[in-house]
Amino acid sequence: SDLEVSLFLNGSVHGAIAWINGLVPLHASAVVHDGRVHAFTGQSGAGKSTLTAALGAHGFPMLADDVLVLDLSDPETAMCLPGHKQLKLWGDALALTGLESTGPVREELDKHYVAPSGGIHPQPLPLSHLYFLSENARTQPSLSRLSGAARLTQARAAFYRPRFCAALTGNVDLFALLSRLAVQVEMIRFDRPRRKDMFADGVAAMAAAIRAA
């Protein structure tokens, strides 16, 4: 269907074209604060889009959803390119964020396009923080900085379609890319309980961390 073709073009094809042209796509959603980008990455279903949607109500406009493309042509800065203008949420995330569907992502799938409540930022901006989402906390949400080799391994895990990267990037270039991201971007693990009744607490904690950063 047209919906499935659009989803494929805006996902896998978009990521492949980015890799081929020397850009670096991350499997991440992102918001903007004070002229810098704060991005959220994690496995599918980790809550990247849901967190981005909820932060809109705290005044943070969205830069990208699901695929965040980095331009590393400037050796001093990792620049984020504006992404697709549509935010995608599962049905249960609509209830959590209070947003309404503007249309289905795919036929017979409980996933929907929504309009970000915080608006959309249309211009490239530098990447400041990359947050790795986890749901192992039992009580309160927490943030902890990554250090050492963990920054390299976690950054690699954040790549969109890692097999594309492996096919197009040699080991030496890959290590140089990971080292650069580890130096230029603050990397933080964001751990919160997997409980719907504590979702708002996690969003508030992230909003406070972004403002403090």
Side-chain angles (χ1 to χ4, degrees):
S1 69
D2 288 345
L3 288 175
E4 291 175 317
V5 171
S6 175
L7 191 64
F8 178 63
L9 291 176
N10 289 325
S12 296
V13 174
H14 179 68
I17 291 173
W19 280 119
I20 289 170
N21 283 277
L23 302 170
V24 179
L26 301 182
H27 191 196
S29 299
V31 299
V32 173
H33 176 64
D34 198 22
R36 292 187 175 273
V37 175
H38 295 256
F40 317 106
T41 186
Q43 297 180 350
S44 295
K48 301 179 292 294
S49 299
T50 307
L51 180 57
T52 297
L55 286 170
H58 288 256
F60 301 104
M62 183 184 83
L63 185 84
D65 179 45
D66 196 45
V67 184
L68 175 65
V69 177
L70 304 182
D71 180 353
L72 302 181
S73 58
D74 182 345
E76 302 297 328
T77 307
M79 292 297 293
C80 300
L81 305 182
H84 307 307
K85 301 298 188 291
Q86 293 177 301
L87 180 63
K88 303 183 293 292
L89 296 179
W90 290 100
D92 58 349
L94 293 179
L96 283 174
T97 59
L99 297 175
E100 296 184 0
S101 171
T102 60
V105 169
R106 189 174 177 180
E107 295 173 358
E108 300 181 359
L109 186 69
D110 187 25
K111 197 169 189 178
H112 310 264
Y113 290 112
V114 300
S117 58
I120 298 171
H121 189 89
Q123 301 297 327
L125 288 173
L127 178 60
S128 173
H129 286 63
L130 183 59
Y131 300 90
F132 298 86
L133 303 186
S134 175
E135 294 183 330
N136 295 320
R138 294 181 179 274
T139 56
Q140 297 299 317
S142 65
L143 295 101
S144 56
R145 285 183 170 85
L146 297 178
S147 61
R151 296 169 68 84
L152 300 179
T153 57
Q154 290 296 305
R156 185 172 186 175
F159 286 164
Y160 185 77
R161 299 294 189 261
R163 285 184 294 178
F164 293 173
C165 173
L168 295 166
T169 307
N171 288 335
V172 173
D173 291 338
L174 175 60
F175 184 77
L177 169 62
L178 292 171
S179 298
R180 177 175 169 181
L181 290 177
V183 169
Q184 293 183 340
V185 179
E186 186 68 59
M187 298 182 182
I188 296 177
R189 185 183 307 281
F190 179 46
D191 203 5
R192 69 263 197 246
R194 191 180 180 87
R195 290 172 47 186
K196 291 182 179 180
D197 63 324
M198 296 193 68
F199 174 73
D201 294 337
V203 175
M206 177 54 67
I210 291 174
R211 292 192 177 98

